[in-house]
Amino acid sequence: VHAQQDEEECVLSQGIMCICCSCDEQRKELVKKRSQKIMLAKKRKVAANEMTSGTVVSATSKSDNVKTEGDDFGLDYVMVNSDNGGKKRQRPAAAAAYSLQSSASQQYCQAITSTSQSSDHEQSIKLNKMTTACRTILECIGEDPNREGLLKTPERWAKALLFMTRGYSLSPEKVLNNAIFTEDSHKEIVVVKNIDIHSMCEHHMVPFTGQIHVGYIPNGKIIGLSKIARIAEVYSRRLQVQERLTRQIVDAIVEHVEPLGVGVVVECSHFCMVMRGVQKVGAKTVTSCVRGCFESNMKTRAEFFNIINGGMSR
């Protein structure tokens, strides 16, 4: 059939687009950005077969009132004759063929995502650039990047840095995964404390590590406890300053949970002042940020700080 013959050229066969009728506009945008080669191949094929009319009979139907018409992006649409003599433009032919096999296919609209092959290619380009840069740095500090102990160091360093800054590829929406639940019965403070974090100072690109403590008062919604730690991971796994990190965690909880109040305390040791500069090993930096009733009510704020400092008074 026509759809099967064009399987290699059709973006539907690559799993990078939705087959739902309602996503036609998104399909066009995707094809514009990522299907230049497919478009050229399709046009060459049409020219070679002398299909000057731009229409072919679709194998998805043997009736005379169904045919496919090529669009500007190299994909076929199904043209169906309506009762009043006009023509109606429907889904791409490959999608129509699929719907003949399963009438329930429209219920499973798949998100448009990049292919894993493209992602692997981009990752490879990043690693190559970073590996080359690391070799240059090794040479600049007087090392020989070709000696046995350093042969694989540039690649290891590149992979490690990408891991330590993976927060750039994450977002609160991704890590929450809809783990927000309705709960009207609890109106007291919920505290998750001693959450380990590891981040990197954006001024010297050396680590700072420590713990964060998070407390909030629900307002009809609660968050999965592990998701609080994951939100901290989203923002800590980036080049950061501790003050901004504290505020970003608070703002994310306010945006997604909408609590009556929220407070965050971060306590870290910064290696930029331990390994260099003033070299003060025991120094720690504490930052806090509060919103809602934690900010307006002194008693609520005091209760939160008392809990994270080891007390349980009410």
Side-chain angles (χ1 to χ4, degrees):
V1 297
H2 181 75
Q4 291 176 336
Q5 292 175 351
D6 293 342
E7 182 178 359
E8 293 184 356
E9 290 128 1
C10 179
V11 293
L12 282 170
S13 67
Q14 301 175 17
I16 63 173
M17 62 175 291
C18 175
I19 63 173
C20 175
C21 291
S22 63
C23 293
D24 188 57
E25 290 300 321
Q26 296 184 46
R27 179 194 67 80
K28 289 182 180 179
E29 291 298 321
L30 181 67
V31 174
K32 285 180 182 179
K33 295 178 181 178
R34 310 185 66 143
S35 301
Q36 295 300 320
K37 291 183 179 179
I38 296 175
M39 177 184 65
L40 293 174
K42 186 70 176 181
K43 288 184 177 180
R44 292 193 187 103
K45 185 173 181 180
V46 171
N49 294 331
E50 297 181 351
M51 299 172 66
T52 55
S53 64
T55 61
V56 294
V57 176
S58 172
T60 60
S61 174
K62 294 184 179 180
S63 61
D64 294 332
N65 68 329
V66 180
K67 62 172 88 173
T68 59
E69 179 173 285
D71 67 359
D72 293 336
F73 306 110
L75 294 178
D76 292 334
Y77 281 92
V78 176
M79 305 299 293
V80 181
N81 292 335
S82 61
D83 296 336
N84 58 9
K87 290 186 177 181
K88 183 179 179 182
R89 199 182 195 197
Q90 292 188 347
R91 285 179 295 173
Y98 179 81
S99 65
L100 292 176
Q101 300 174 12
S102 174
S103 60
S105 62
Q106 297 183 29
Q107 301 176 13
Y108 303 99
C109 181
Q110 301 176 7
I112 298 175
T113 58
S114 60
T115 63
S116 59
Q117 182 178 3
S118 176
S119 177
D120 291 342
H121 179 65
E122 293 175 359
Q123 189 79 350
S124 177
I125 292 175
K126 286 182 181 180
L127 286 174
N128 287 337
K129 287 182 178 180
M130 296 174 70
T131 298
T132 301
C134 185
R135 289 181 61 87
T136 301
I137 292 173
L138 289 173
E139 292 173 352
C140 290
I141 64 175
E143 267 291 358
D144 177 11
N146 294 316
R147 72 176 176 87
E148 182 181 5
L150 295 177
L151 281 176
K152 294 186 178 181
T153 296
E155 183 179 356
R156 293 191 193 103
W157 172 84
K159 290 180 178 180
L161 186 59
L162 287 174
F163 176 83
M164 291 185 287
T165 58
R166 69 182 185 277
Y168 290 115
S169 64
L170 300 174
S171 67
E173 291 79 10
K174 287 183 179 180
V175 301
L176 283 174
N177 196 27
N178 298 320
I180 306 292
F181 310 102
T182 301
E183 180 56 66
D184 295 325
S185 62
H186 192 85
K187 297 292 185 181
E188 302 296 329
I189 296 179
V190 178
V191 175
V192 181
K193 64 178 185 177
N194 301 329
I195 302 171
D196 293 327
I197 61 167
H198 309 279
S199 191
M200 295 189 69
C201 168
E202 68 179 30
H203 301 141
H204 302 96
M205 286 188 67
V206 293
F208 66 89
T209 64
Q211 294 182 327
I212 73 166
H213 317 288
V214 179
Y216 76 100
I217 299 180
N219 186 24
K221 293 190 293 184
I222 59 174
I223 182 175
L225 296 179
S226 68
K227 303 306 180 182
I228 295 177
R230 293 189 184 278
I231 289 176
E233 189 80 355
V234 168
Y235 294 109
S236 64
R237 291 296 186 176
R238 304 179 181 190
L239 299 183
Q240 276 285 14
V241 294
Q242 186 172 323
E243 296 86 346
R244 181 172 66 237
L245 170 62
T246 310
R247 186 182 69 253
Q248 287 176 329
I249 295 171
V250 167
D251 291 341
I253 295 174
V254 169
E255 178 181 354
H256 295 283
V257 187
E258 299 176 344
L260 294 175
V262 60
V264 172
V265 174
V266 181
E267 182 178 358
C268 288
S269 176
H270 290 249
F271 282 75
C272 59
M273 62 181 297
V274 172
M275 298 177 63
R276 57 163 298 282
V278 295
Q279 302 181 59
K280 301 303 179 183
V281 178
K284 290 190 176 181
T285 302
V286 179
T287 53
S288 67
C289 185
V290 291
R291 294 283 191 273
C293 63
F294 280 64
E295 184 176 16
S296 60
N297 191 313
M298 186 170 59
K299 290 184 178 180
T300 302
R301 183 168 65 253
E303 181 182 2
F304 167 62
F305 282 104
N306 185 53
I307 291 174
I308 66 174
N309 288 323
M312 293 297 294
S313 64
R314 292 289 181 184

Short mmCIF file of all heavy atoms in Angstrom, two decimals, residues 128-152:
data_model
loop_
_atom_site.label_atom_id
_atom_site.label_comp_id
_atom_site.label_asym_id
_atom_site.label_seq_id
_atom_site.Cartn_x
_atom_site.Cartn_y
_atom_site.Cartn_z
N ASN A 128 32.02 15.48 23.02
CA ASN A 128 33.21 15.77 22.23
C ASN A 128 33.75 17.16 22.51
O ASN A 128 34.96 17.37 22.65
CB ASN A 128 32.90 15.61 20.74
CG ASN A 128 32.73 14.15 20.33
OD1 ASN A 128 33.25 13.26 20.99
ND2 ASN A 128 32.01 13.91 19.25
N LYS A 129 32.85 18.15 22.57
CA LYS A 129 33.28 19.52 22.85
C LYS A 129 33.90 19.63 24.24
O LYS A 129 34.96 20.26 24.42
CB LYS A 129 32.08 20.48 22.75
CG LYS A 129 31.60 20.74 21.34
CD LYS A 129 30.45 21.74 21.36
CE LYS A 129 29.97 22.06 19.95
NZ LYS A 129 28.85 23.05 19.96
N MET A 130 33.25 19.03 25.22
CA MET A 130 33.73 19.11 26.59
C MET A 130 35.05 18.35 26.78
O MET A 130 35.94 18.78 27.52
CB MET A 130 32.67 18.59 27.55
CG MET A 130 31.40 19.41 27.56
SD MET A 130 30.08 18.70 28.57
CE MET A 130 30.72 18.94 30.21
N THR A 131 35.17 17.20 26.11
CA THR A 131 36.40 16.42 26.19
C THR A 131 37.57 17.20 25.62
O THR A 131 38.66 17.23 26.21
CB THR A 131 36.23 15.09 25.44
OG1 THR A 131 35.18 14.34 26.05
CG2 THR A 131 37.51 14.28 25.48
N THR A 132 37.36 17.85 24.48
CA THR A 132 38.42 18.67 23.87
C THR A 132 38.80 19.82 24.79
O THR A 132 40.00 20.13 24.96
CB THR A 132 37.94 19.22 22.52
OG1 THR A 132 37.61 18.13 21.66
CG2 THR A 132 39.02 20.06 21.86
N ALA A 133 37.80 20.46 25.40
CA ALA A 133 38.08 21.58 26.31
C ALA A 133 38.88 21.11 27.53
O ALA A 133 39.80 21.80 27.99
CB ALA A 133 36.78 22.22 26.76
N CYS A 134 38.55 19.92 28.04
CA CYS A 134 39.26 19.40 29.22
C CYS A 134 40.71 19.10 28.89
O CYS A 134 41.60 19.35 29.71
CB CYS A 134 38.55 18.16 29.73
SG CYS A 134 39.25 17.51 31.26
N ARG A 135 40.96 18.57 27.72
CA ARG A 135 42.36 18.30 27.31
C ARG A 135 43.15 19.60 27.26
O ARG A 135 44.31 19.67 27.68
CB ARG A 135 42.38 17.61 25.95
CG ARG A 135 41.89 16.16 25.97
CD ARG A 135 41.97 15.54 24.58
NE ARG A 135 43.34 15.51 24.09
CZ ARG A 135 44.21 14.54 24.33
NH1 ARG A 135 43.84 13.49 25.09
NH2 ARG A 135 45.43 14.59 23.85
N THR A 136 42.50 20.66 26.76
CA THR A 136 43.17 21.96 26.71
C THR A 136 43.48 22.47 28.11
O THR A 136 44.57 22.99 28.37
CB THR A 136 42.27 22.98 25.98
OG1 THR A 136 41.99 22.50 24.66
CG2 THR A 136 42.93 24.34 25.91
N ILE A 137 42.53 22.30 29.03
CA ILE A 137 42.75 22.74 30.41
C ILE A 137 43.90 21.97 31.05
O ILE A 137 44.75 22.54 31.74
CB ILE A 137 41.45 22.56 31.23
CG1 ILE A 137 40.38 23.54 30.74
CG2 ILE A 137 41.72 22.78 32.73
CD1 ILE A 137 39.02 23.32 31.36
N LEU A 138 43.95 20.66 30.82
CA LEU A 138 45.04 19.84 31.36
C LEU A 138 46.40 20.33 30.85
O LEU A 138 47.38 20.40 31.61
CB LEU A 138 44.83 18.37 31.00
CG LEU A 138 43.68 17.67 31.71
CD1 LEU A 138 43.47 16.25 31.14
CD2 LEU A 138 43.94 17.58 33.21
N GLU A 139 46.46 20.67 29.59
CA GLU A 139 47.71 21.19 29.02
C GLU A 139 48.07 22.53 29.64
O GLU A 139 49.25 22.80 29.93
CB GLU A 139 47.57 21.32 27.51
CG GLU A 139 47.47 19.98 26.78
CD GLU A 139 47.17 20.15 25.31
OE1 GLU A 139 46.89 21.30 24.88
OE2 GLU A 139 47.20 19.15 24.57
N CYS A 140 47.06 23.37 29.88
CA CYS A 140 47.31 24.71 30.43
C CYS A 140 47.84 24.67 31.86
O CYS A 140 48.59 25.56 32.28
CB CYS A 140 46.04 25.55 30.37
SG CYS A 140 45.55 26.04 28.71
N ILE A 141 47.45 23.65 32.64
CA ILE A 141 47.94 23.57 34.02
C ILE A 141 49.26 22.80 34.12
O ILE A 141 49.77 22.57 35.22
CB ILE A 141 46.90 22.93 34.96
CG1 ILE A 141 46.63 21.47 34.57
CG2 ILE A 141 45.61 23.74 34.95
CD1 ILE A 141 45.70 20.74 35.53
N GLY A 142 49.80 22.40 32.96
CA GLY A 142 51.10 21.75 32.94
C GLY A 142 51.06 20.24 32.92
O GLY A 142 52.09 19.59 33.10
N GLU A 143 49.88 19.64 32.68
CA GLU A 143 49.77 18.19 32.64
C GLU A 143 49.86 17.68 31.20
O GLU A 143 49.72 18.43 30.23
CB GLU A 143 48.44 17.74 33.25
CG GLU A 143 48.50 17.42 34.72
CD GLU A 143 49.29 16.15 35.01
OE1 GLU A 143 49.78 15.50 34.06
OE2 GLU A 143 49.44 15.83 36.20
N ASP A 144 50.10 16.38 31.09
CA ASP A 144 50.15 15.72 29.80
C ASP A 144 48.89 14.88 29.64
O ASP A 144 48.76 13.82 30.26
CB ASP A 144 51.38 14.82 29.70
CG ASP A 144 51.43 14.05 28.38
OD1 ASP A 144 50.63 14.38 27.47
OD2 ASP A 144 52.25 13.12 28.26
N PRO A 145 47.92 15.30 28.84
CA PRO A 145 46.67 14.55 28.71
C PRO A 145 46.84 13.18 28.07
O PRO A 145 45.90 12.39 28.06
CB PRO A 145 45.80 15.47 27.84
CG PRO A 145 46.76 16.34 27.12
CD PRO A 145 47.93 16.52 28.03
N ASN A 146 48.04 12.91 27.54
CA ASN A 146 48.28 11.62 26.89
C ASN A 146 48.93 10.60 27.82
O ASN A 146 49.14 9.45 27.41
CB ASN A 146 49.16 11.81 25.66
CG ASN A 146 48.47 12.62 24.57
OD1 ASN A 146 47.30 12.40 24.26
ND2 ASN A 146 49.19 13.58 24.00
N ARG A 147 49.24 10.98 29.04
CA ARG A 147 49.83 9.99 29.94
C ARG A 147 48.74 9.04 30.43
O ARG A 147 47.55 9.36 30.43
CB ARG A 147 50.57 10.67 31.09
CG ARG A 147 49.74 11.35 32.16
CD ARG A 147 50.66 11.88 33.26
NE ARG A 147 49.93 12.64 34.28
CZ ARG A 147 49.37 12.09 35.34
NH1 ARG A 147 49.42 10.78 35.51
NH2 ARG A 147 48.75 12.86 36.23
N GLU A 148 49.16 7.87 30.87
CA GLU A 148 48.23 6.78 31.15
C GLU A 148 47.11 7.17 32.10
O GLU A 148 45.93 6.88 31.85
CB GLU A 148 49.01 5.60 31.74
CG GLU A 148 48.13 4.38 32.02
CD GLU A 148 48.92 3.24 32.63
OE1 GLU A 148 50.11 3.43 32.92
OE2 GLU A 148 48.33 2.16 32.83
N GLY A 149 47.42 7.84 33.19
CA GLY A 149 46.41 8.16 34.18
C GLY A 149 45.38 9.19 33.73
O GLY A 149 44.32 9.33 34.35
N LEU A 150 45.68 9.91 32.64
CA LEU A 150 44.79 10.98 32.18
C LEU A 150 44.14 10.70 30.83
O LEU A 150 43.40 11.55 30.33
CB LEU A 150 45.56 12.31 32.10
CG LEU A 150 46.08 12.88 33.41
CD1 LEU A 150 46.90 14.15 33.16
CD2 LEU A 150 44.93 13.18 34.36
N LEU A 151 44.40 9.54 30.26
CA LEU A 151 43.89 9.26 28.92
C LEU A 151 42.36 9.36 28.85
O LEU A 151 41.81 9.92 27.90
CB LEU A 151 44.34 7.87 28.47
CG LEU A 151 45.78 7.76 27.97
CD1 LEU A 151 46.12 6.30 27.64
CD2 LEU A 151 46.01 8.64 26.75
N LYS A 152 41.69 8.83 29.85
CA LYS A 152 40.22 8.85 29.84
C LYS A 152 39.64 9.91 30.77
O LYS A 152 38.42 10.00 30.90
CB LYS A 152 39.69 7.47 30.24
CG LYS A 152 40.01 6.38 29.23
CD LYS A 152 39.34 5.06 29.62
CE LYS A 152 39.61 3.98 28.57
NZ LYS A 152 38.95 2.70 28.92
#
